[in-house]
Amino acid sequence: MQNSSMMKKTLKCIRWSLPEMASRGVRACVASQSLLCSRQDEHEKKERLTYFQNLLDAFTSLLVLLTTANNPDVMIPAYSENRAYAIFFIVFTLIGSLFLMNLLTAIIYNQFRGYLMKSLQTSLFRRRLGTRAAYEVLLLTGGFPSHRVGVMPQDFLQVLEKAQLSSSQKQAVMEKVRSLDGVLLSADEFQKIFSEVDRGVVREHPPRPCYRSPLLQSAQFLFGHRYFDYLGNCITLANLVSICVFLVLDEDVAPSDRDNFVLGVLNCVFIMYYLLELLLKVFALGPWGYLSYPENLFDGLVTLALLVLEILMLAVYGFPYRGWYPEMRGLLSLWDMMRLVNILIVFRFLRIIPNMKLMAVVASTILGLVQNLRAFGGILVVVYYVFAILGINLFQGAIVAPGNDSLAHDNGSAPCGSFEQLEYWANNFDDFAAALITLWNVMVVNNWQVFLEAYERYAGRWSLVYFVLWWLVSSVIWVNLFLALLLENFLYRWDPRSHERHLSGMQLTAELIFRDILEEPKEEELMHRLRNHPHVRLCR
């Protein structure tokens, strides 16, 4: 965590958000205890003892109700006695789950966005200060301390050779400097050069083959056009429709009674088209040009796999005929293997996503999250590890499955919906892997009240603190921080200006998302900091 600036920013954001979360998250539960814990007649009190026996049980039940995991179970005893009690639970759910929990999400999002912007503003100032310090040092060593003419490009390139940058970033900066044709670099130009560091490597496709024959040139233009890809997508759609139709028709037919003649012939036809498409695209784009497109690489691998399976299937079972059904040989027949591989053709439709704006925004948001999720994923891994080790030390051996000298109730006599009746024995903390799965199941919050009740019985009431803390950290804080990152990525992608940056090859980073909001440091502020910097001595 200490080596990741984004992880440290996220952790500080969590620390800043905790006070406001605590002041609002508990308010709904505490304010509603007196209603159901007050003295009632004996019959009504008996109905409520299931979930509201005392203050701690009432608090736990209402806390679980915030996640709606025990709804409507927690309401049924009181509701069965008097329907008017449903008003309490409905009002609590509206205020707690729909209002306060969403308000908590807004608070975390606001804290995350505000602190992240502040941190990125500081980071931007440090970058500009470092760049300006480098410019001033180069200016002094280049012999222009008094004239302030500018930095010689060759001096800059000599220093850049020793800088710790990736080869692609260093090459981009060098090309930018060489494009200036030896003109002295001013301070503004020096700052702009380093914007190349934020750019991604624009991968260029190999040139297409050159054919002399007009006929071959026309064929190359035809088979290299995007409309040829549209035709391939239409053929793929027909292939998928045929698969779905035969799956429905053969739903109630025993495998040995199925006639796969038509489907076998159709598969041969589709595979021959995919092979022909592959050869024509190689002809139009060239071998290396064809492989330079990821979608073509995927299509080629699937096509070759289908071709090999089809050849093997025809060699083993022969050509399709009426009543043709390939016999099962081993765990999976060649026929079934080919049908499974054929389903992978559906991924060819992913290439239509860039042509649809809303789908393109959603897809690019997902890809952006994957690229920027290292900080959140790293924190989640650390938190999972800490809670798993803590859970093993606290609850190892607390719950033992029946048949192993367990003191647990027999499954047949256990209450409905309890840990024993649901046979949740595998959810324990006996080893590290089981602890991770148990924490995951609690994080999802489906039936997590079962875990609370079981470990309260077997390990004591203090176990509630452990599980509630895990719910707060994982399901509330981390999920809401993830939602904040998701919103920022989506809003940035939806902004039309982001398309211009994407076309210019800019990498999507957290700083780039807030680039339009961040303020560029002023010249006077940078120079003032440089003159007072302990490690920089400017002779002016």
Side-chain angles (χ1 to χ4, degrees):
M1 285 186 177
Q2 191 64 26
N3 294 328
S4 172
S5 60
M6 191 63 187
M7 283 191 187
K8 290 188 289 185
K9 291 180 177 63
T10 308
L11 286 176
K12 290 180 181 179
C13 174
I14 294 174
R15 187 184 65 186
W16 284 31
S17 303
L18 285 178
E20 293 193 43
M21 289 170 53
S23 65
R24 290 170 171 81
V26 183
R27 193 170 299 170
C29 295
V30 175
S32 56
Q33 302 302 317
S34 58
L35 178 60
L36 291 181
C37 293
S38 58
R39 293 186 176 275
Q40 306 288 340
D41 59 76
E42 291 299 324
H43 181 71
E44 292 180 350
K45 186 176 181 181
K46 183 179 179 180
E47 293 292 334
R48 291 169 178 75
L49 289 182
T50 305
Y51 296 100
F52 300 94
Q53 185 173 5
N54 50 51
L55 184 63
L56 181 60
D57 288 344
F59 182 84
T60 304
S61 298
L62 292 177
L63 183 65
V64 175
L65 184 58
L66 281 177
T67 65
T68 67
N70 61 348
N71 184 70
D73 298 348
V74 68
M75 182 183 70
I76 292 302
Y79 177 73
S80 300
E81 178 66 25
N82 191 333
R83 291 187 175 184
Y85 286 124
I87 299 175
F88 168 81
F89 294 97
I90 293 174
V91 171
F92 178 83
T93 303
L94 289 174
I95 295 176
S97 299
L98 300 182
F99 178 72
L100 286 180
M101 294 304 290
N102 288 323
L103 180 62
L104 185 62
T105 301
I107 291 171
I108 294 178
Y109 171 72
N110 184 63
Q111 290 288 329
F112 170 80
R113 196 172 192 275
Y115 177 76
L116 188 60
M117 284 182 58
K118 180 181 178 181
S119 179
L120 291 175
Q121 183 69 54
T122 305
S123 177
L124 177 64
F125 181 82
R126 288 198 303 265
R127 291 182 61 181
R128 296 294 185 262
L129 184 64
T131 306
R132 187 54 187 268
Y135 176 80
E136 293 293 332
V137 172
L138 284 175
L139 196 64
L140 291 174
T141 57
F144 301 100
S146 58
H147 302 331
R148 298 185 60 87
V149 178
V151 171
M152 297 291 292
Q154 56 268 27
D155 295 339
F156 174 71
L157 292 176
Q158 289 177 1
V159 176
L160 186 64
E161 287 289 346
K162 303 178 182 180
Q164 295 181 357
L165 288 174
S166 64
S167 58
S168 59
Q169 292 175 336
K170 188 178 295 186
Q171 184 66 26
V173 174
M174 286 183 176
E175 291 179 358
K176 181 69 174 179
V177 174
R178 292 192 182 105
S179 65
L180 299 177
D181 297 330
V183 179
L184 295 178
L185 302 176
S186 64
D188 293 336
E189 291 172 344
F190 195 84
Q191 290 279 8
K192 292 178 181 179
I193 287 176
F194 283 91
S195 63
E196 298 296 324
V197 177
D198 295 329
R199 297 184 184 275
V201 179
V202 180
R203 185 178 180 182
E204 297 182 357
H205 299 286
R208 297 187 178 187
C210 297
Y211 299 104
R212 295 182 179 181
S213 173
L215 180 61
L216 294 180
Q217 292 178 359
S218 301
Q220 183 184 30
F221 173 78
L222 178 63
F223 299 126
H225 201 274
R226 67 177 184 275
Y227 288 150
F228 188 65
D229 291 333
Y230 296 161
L231 176 62
N233 291 335
C234 294
I235 299 298
T236 303
L237 179 61
N239 189 3
L240 296 177
V241 169
S242 66
I243 294 175
C244 295
V245 169
F246 281 95
L247 285 176
V248 174
L249 293 178
D250 296 338
E251 180 181 4
D252 299 327
V253 181
S256 58
D257 298 333
R258 294 175 182 174
D259 185 1
N260 293 306
F261 168 70
V262 178
L263 187 57
V265 172
L266 288 177
N267 282 337
C268 291
V269 173
F270 286 125
I271 292 174
M272 292 304 297
Y273 173 81
Y274 296 143
L275 180 61
L276 179 63
E277 182 189 41
L278 186 152
L279 296 176
L280 292 176
K281 284 189 174 182
V282 171
F283 162 77
L285 303 175
W288 297 113
Y290 179 85
L291 295 176
S292 64
Y293 293 90
E295 59 270 19
N296 289 341
L297 184 61
F298 174 80
D299 295 344
L301 291 176
V302 174
T303 300
L304 292 178
L306 289 174
L307 180 63
V308 171
L309 290 173
E310 181 69 17
I311 293 174
L312 292 176
M313 189 187 65
L314 294 178
V316 174
Y317 301 112
F319 289 93
Y321 53 85
R322 286 293 179 183
W324 181 72
Y325 176 75
E327 297 180 359
M328 176 71 71
R329 298 184 181 181
L331 181 62
L332 196 63
S333 68
L334 291 172
W335 172 247
D336 293 328
M337 290 176 61
M338 190 186 68
R339 295 182 68 180
L340 289 175
V341 175
N342 207 5
I343 295 177
L344 296 177
I345 295 294
V346 70
F347 290 103
R348 286 176 58 117
F349 284 100
L350 295 178
R351 65 181 62 182
I352 69 174
I353 290 178
N355 299 324
M356 304 177 66
K357 181 181 178 181
L358 185 58
M359 291 182 63
V361 170
V362 174
S364 60
T365 301
I366 295 175
L367 292 177
L369 282 175
V370 173
Q371 296 171 0
N372 292 279
L373 203 58
R374 291 174 296 178
F376 292 88
I379 291 175
L380 187 62
V381 168
V382 173
V383 171
Y384 257 99
Y385 179 83
V386 171
F387 271 85
I389 296 299
L390 183 60
I392 291 174
N393 285 276
L394 292 176
F395 308 120
Q396 188 175 26
I399 298 180
V400 183
N404 297 325
D405 298 330
S406 175
L407 299 177
H409 300 293
D410 181 67
N411 185 45
S413 61
C416 182
S418 63
F419 190 91
E420 295 81 6
Q421 189 270 333
L422 294 173
E423 298 184 354
Y424 278 5
W425 306 111
N427 293 289
N428 55 59
F429 292 88
D430 293 345
D431 56 77
F432 187 74
L436 293 179
I437 300 300
T438 303
L439 291 175
W440 171 263
N441 291 333
V442 176
M443 177 181 174
V444 179
V445 300
N446 184 37
N447 273 355
W448 75 297
Q449 74 277 6
V450 176
F451 297 88
L452 295 180
E453 187 270 336
Y455 279 91
E456 182 183 1
R457 284 191 286 108
Y458 288 106
R461 286 198 164 187
W462 286 105
S463 62
L464 295 176
V465 177
Y466 173 84
F467 287 101
V468 171
L469 282 177
W470 170 246
W471 168 72
L472 286 173
V473 172
S474 62
S475 185
V476 177
I477 299 177
W478 191 88
V479 171
N480 283 318
L481 284 174
F482 178 79
L483 179 60
L485 181 64
L486 176 66
L487 288 174
E488 287 297 340
N489 273 272
F490 182 82
L491 294 176
Y492 172 79
R493 297 283 186 176
W494 191 259
D495 189 351
R497 291 173 294 182
S498 65
H499 298 287
E500 300 176 1
R501 300 190 187 96
H502 177 71
L503 293 175
S504 63
M506 301 292 284
Q507 296 178 352
L508 180 62
T509 60
E511 183 177 348
L512 182 59
I513 294 176
F514 293 95
R515 178 64 58 84
D516 295 333
I517 306 176
L518 299 179
E519 296 181 0
E520 285 289 338
K522 297 180 180 179
E523 174 78 11
E524 296 79 9
E525 188 177 4
L526 291 175
M527 295 306 300
H528 175 72
R529 289 289 298 272
L530 283 177
R531 293 189 183 98
N532 298 322
H533 201 280
H535 303 296
V536 179
R537 295 291 183 266
L538 299 180
C539 301
R540 65 183 84 226

